[in-house]
């Protein structure tokens, strides 16, 4: 090298090669000596990839992980193609340590660099894991997008980890009402991602959306799962669950319409419910109430009598229909004729509608033992002005009505078996009972002073 300028370059390469060979020999037994030799080799042949790779390895062998990564990763490792695989190994080692120390930002940086060097499903999932810990939904989703095409059919560990990510993310998004994120994740289909688990998530999303009162969205989602696209793939047990879910929605909507007195809408919903659960006798009971609401109580009673008595709600519906007959008879002026009140009480005495019927009867029933003299005295000095001077059992009627309301409140809004338009019926009777008491009592000196 010193004596012949023409041979200097060749001699320099030869000496670099000799020193590299010496460094290789010493790498395992004496990494410090190997480091000195390989550095000398790189002085003679700067940029030699084999020497750079060996330098990183012997530095790492001495426990200097960060320095080894720096040596191998100058220019993000792009200047040393041979170094990529080992650099990836070192980045994963450091990322694991950072993750264990809960330095999730640092871990994500290292995992990301490693997967850029050597694309790998496990590393991409590690990026997603770090992003999840950082609360970065978009970063996690992008990492999953990279991981999905890398997951192999035989890689059950990666498949299982992906399924965990998907379930957590989809359910959290459903809880926020974020349908777009739900669908984005449910559209990821690496090996092992379809089948029963996918349909379970679809059902849980629909249920959550319904809980958030996004009824139309929930219904559309569930009906899609029961459509032709999924005929061959939807498991039989999940099909049953989707059918029951939709039937319950339509049934509850029908009950709401029934209570409001919207009989056509109620019947439409009960009909839709029966499309999904044709053998459900509870829905048939509800349809009988809709029939009764059209003043066809005899027909409705025949429908109910044809159903098994052990059907849940059978006694309650019988009582409601009998109490509706009471209202129909009273509306026709049939005060003295046969009353179905006793049959209603026998069917289910605790049903609120039975007590509403009782209140309606008491409203027109004269109080016992009230002669004309008492009526004159009440007319002269009583606080209440009785209509047509009729002293009926108004207080008892109010008491029955109050009991019915309290009982209805205890049953809750979701209780299925309520009479058609019962809320309006109670409100109307309450107005009638209180109208004449307010008209007289408000004109008394005491009332004026108060």
């Amino acid at each position: 090298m010193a004596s012949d300028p023409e041979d200097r370059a060749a001699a320099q390469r030869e000496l670099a090669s000799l020193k590299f060979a010496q460094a290789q020999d010493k790498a395992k037994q004496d990494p410090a000596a190997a480091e000195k030799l390989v550095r000398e080799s790189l002085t003679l042949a700067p940029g030699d990839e084999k020497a750079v790779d060996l330098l990183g390895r012997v530095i790492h062998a001495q426990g200097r992980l960060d320095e080894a990564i720096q040596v191998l990763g100058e220019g993000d490792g792009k200047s040393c193609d041979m170094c990529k695989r080992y650099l990836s190994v070192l980045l994963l080692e450091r990322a694991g340590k950072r993750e264990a120390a809960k330095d999730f930002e640092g871990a994500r940086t290292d995992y990301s660099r490693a997967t850029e060097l050597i694309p790998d499903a496990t590393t991409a999932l590690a990026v997603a894991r770090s992003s999840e810990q950082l609360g970065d939904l978009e970063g996690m989703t992008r990492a999953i997008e990279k991981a999905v095409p890398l997951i192999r059919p035989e890689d059950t560990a990666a498949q299982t980890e992906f399924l965990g990510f998907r379930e957590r993310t989809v359910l959290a998004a459903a809880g926020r009402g974020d349908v777009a994120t739900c669908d984005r994740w449910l559209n990821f289909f690496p090996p092992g991602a379809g089948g029963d688990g996918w349909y379970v998530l679809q059902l849980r999303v629909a249920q959550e959306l319904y809980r958030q009162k996004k009824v139309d969205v929930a219904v559309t989602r569930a009906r899609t799962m029961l459509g032709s696209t999924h005929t061959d793939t939807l498991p039989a047990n999940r099909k049953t669950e989707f059918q029951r879910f939709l039937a319950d929605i339509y049934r509850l909507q029908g009950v709401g319409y029934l209570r409001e007195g919207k009989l056509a809408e109620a019947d439409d919903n009960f009909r839709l419910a029966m499309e999904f659960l044709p053998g459900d006798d509870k829905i048939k009971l509800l349809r009988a109430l809709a029939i009764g609401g059209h003043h066809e109580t005899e027909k409705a009673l025949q429908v109910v009598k044809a159903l098994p008595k052990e059907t849940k709600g059978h006694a309650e519906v019988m009582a409601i229909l009998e109490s509706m007959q009471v209202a129909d008879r009273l509306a026709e002026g049939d005060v003295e004729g046969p009353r179905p009140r006793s049959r209603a009480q026998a069917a289910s005495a605790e049903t609120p509608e039975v007590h509403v019927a009782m209140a309606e009867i008491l409203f027109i029933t004269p109080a016992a033992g009230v002669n004309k003299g008492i009526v004159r005295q009440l007319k002269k000095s009583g606080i209440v002005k009785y209509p047509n001077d009729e002293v009926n059992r108004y207080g008892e009627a109010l008491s029955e009505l109050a009991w019915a309301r309290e009982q209805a409140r205890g049953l809750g809004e979701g209780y299925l078996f309520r009479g058609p338009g019962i809320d309006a019926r109670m409100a109307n009777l309450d107005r009638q009972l209180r109208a004449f008491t307010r008209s007289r009592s408000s004109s008394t000196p005491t009332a004026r002073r108060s």
Side-chain angles (χ1 to χ4, degrees):
M1 286 170 59
S3 63
D4 189 345
E6 292 183 4
D7 288 340
R8 176 174 295 182
Q12 190 168 324
R13 285 194 301 271
E14 187 174 345
L15 181 57
S17 179
L18 289 170
K19 287 186 177 290
F20 173 75
Q22 286 182 310
Q24 276 187 313
D25 289 341
K26 293 180 177 291
K28 291 184 179 179
Q29 290 79 18
D30 190 350
E35 178 187 351
K36 181 176 181 299
L37 287 165
V38 79
R39 286 187 182 280
E40 291 173 357
S41 173
L42 281 167
T43 301
L44 297 166
D48 180 84
E49 290 193 354
K50 292 188 292 184
V52 173
D53 183 69
L54 181 58
L55 179 60
R57 291 172 184 271
V58 295
I59 290 174
H60 176 246
Q62 297 174 71
R64 288 144 53 199
L65 176 61
D66 290 345
E67 187 180 343
I69 289 173
Q70 185 177 9
V71 166
L72 295 173
E74 288 181 359
D76 293 329
K78 292 176 183 176
S79 60
C80 178
D81 288 336
M82 185 177 180
C83 304
K84 286 181 179 179
R85 185 162 297 280
Y86 194 62
L87 175 58
S88 176
V89 170
L90 298 188
L91 286 168
L92 291 175
E93 180 183 334
R94 187 169 71 179
K97 292 179 178 179
R98 286 176 166 179
E99 186 176 8
K102 300 190 183 307
D103 175 12
F104 298 114
E105 190 64 68
R108 179 167 69 170
T109 299
D110 284 345
Y111 282 133
S112 297
R113 283 185 68 190
T115 196
E116 287 170 6
L117 292 167
I118 307 293
D120 174 74
T122 302
T123 310
L125 289 169
V127 177
R129 189 169 62 243
S130 301
S131 297
E132 184 179 32
Q133 292 292 335
L134 291 166
D136 182 2
L137 172 62
E138 184 58 32
M140 178 173 62
T141 305
R142 288 197 303 270
I144 290 294
E145 287 174 336
K146 291 181 179 179
V148 164
L150 300 172
I151 297 176
R152 302 183 307 279
E154 67 275 13
D155 191 351
T156 55
Q159 291 170 30
T160 301
E161 188 170 9
F162 166 79
L163 293 176
F165 276 117
R166 186 179 68 181
E167 180 174 352
R168 291 192 300 275
T169 306
V170 168
L171 294 181
R176 300 190 303 271
D178 183 356
V179 178
T181 296
C182 290
D183 287 337
R184 186 177 177 185
W185 276 75
L186 286 166
N187 284 331
F188 292 141
F189 274 102
D196 187 63
W198 188 81
Y199 285 108
V200 168
L201 277 180
Q202 289 282 9
L203 178 61
R204 293 180 69 179
V205 169
Q207 290 169 334
E208 177 60 26
L209 293 172
Y210 178 71
R211 190 189 68 78
Q212 296 173 21
K213 303 189 184 305
K214 297 178 180 178
V215 180
D216 291 342
V217 181
V219 166
T220 299
R221 196 174 201 91
R223 292 190 75 109
T224 299
M225 294 300 108
L226 292 171
S228 58
T229 304
H230 303 278
T231 300
D232 298 329
T233 53
L234 179 63
N237 60 327
R238 301 306 169 204
K239 180 179 180 180
T240 300
E241 289 177 354
F242 276 111
Q243 288 173 328
R244 183 166 295 282
F245 172 67
L246 284 168
D248 286 343
I249 289 177
Y250 287 125
R251 179 164 42 197
L252 288 172
Q253 287 187 158
V255 168
Y257 283 126
L258 195 64
R259 289 183 62 177
E260 294 173 18
K262 297 178 179 178
L263 302 177
E265 293 88 340
D267 200 49
D268 283 345
N269 276 273
F270 294 145
R271 177 180 51 77
L272 287 167
M274 289 191 71
E275 286 182 12
F276 295 104
L277 290 180
D280 193 316
D281 288 337
K282 293 196 294 295
I283 302 174
K284 296 174 185 177
L285 286 175
L286 291 167
R287 291 200 80 180
L289 289 175
I291 293 169
H294 286 293
H295 303 287
E296 297 182 82
T297 49
E298 286 295 342
K299 179 181 176 182
L301 283 165
Q302 292 305 312
V303 172
V304 176
K305 288 174 183 176
L307 296 172
K309 287 186 178 180
E310 60 270 18
T311 304
K312 184 176 180 180
H314 190 280
E316 288 85 347
V317 171
M318 284 291 292
I320 291 168
L321 290 172
E322 296 284 9
S323 72
M324 289 167 67
Q325 280 199 325
V326 173
D328 289 344
R329 298 281 178 86
L330 292 175
E332 295 168 1
D334 183 7
V335 177
E336 299 298 332
R339 293 172 177 165
R341 178 188 65 189
S342 59
R343 294 198 300 270
Q345 289 176 316
S348 181
E350 300 301 303
T351 300
E353 285 78 1
V354 174
H355 291 268
V356 175
M358 177 64 78
E360 289 169 335
I361 291 171
L362 290 167
F363 180 65
I364 61 168
T365 302
V370 180
N371 58 36
K372 292 182 179 179
I374 293 175
V375 172
R376 286 195 297 273
Q377 184 64 29
L378 287 171
K379 186 176 181 180
K380 179 180 178 181
S381 59
I383 293 176
V384 173
K385 181 179 180 181
Y386 292 97
N388 303 320
D389 295 331
E390 294 176 354
V391 183
N392 293 336
R393 298 168 69 177
Y394 302 121
E396 292 172 84
L398 279 169
S399 177
E400 289 285 346
L401 192 57
W403 191 97
R405 279 181 165 157
E406 191 60 35
Q407 181 73 348
R409 189 178 297 111
L411 292 173
E413 288 296 320
Y415 185 70
L416 292 179
F417 305 107
R418 299 302 312 279
I422 187 61
D423 292 338
R425 194 170 146 201
M426 288 194 292
N428 182 56
L429 181 58
D430 186 69
R431 280 194 300 272
Q432 291 181 62
L433 283 164
R434 298 185 185 278
F436 68 85
T437 62
R438 284 196 298 269
S439 65
R440 178 63 181 262
S441 61
S442 61
S443 64
T444 64
T446 302
R448 285 198 298 271
R449 285 197 300 274
S450 65

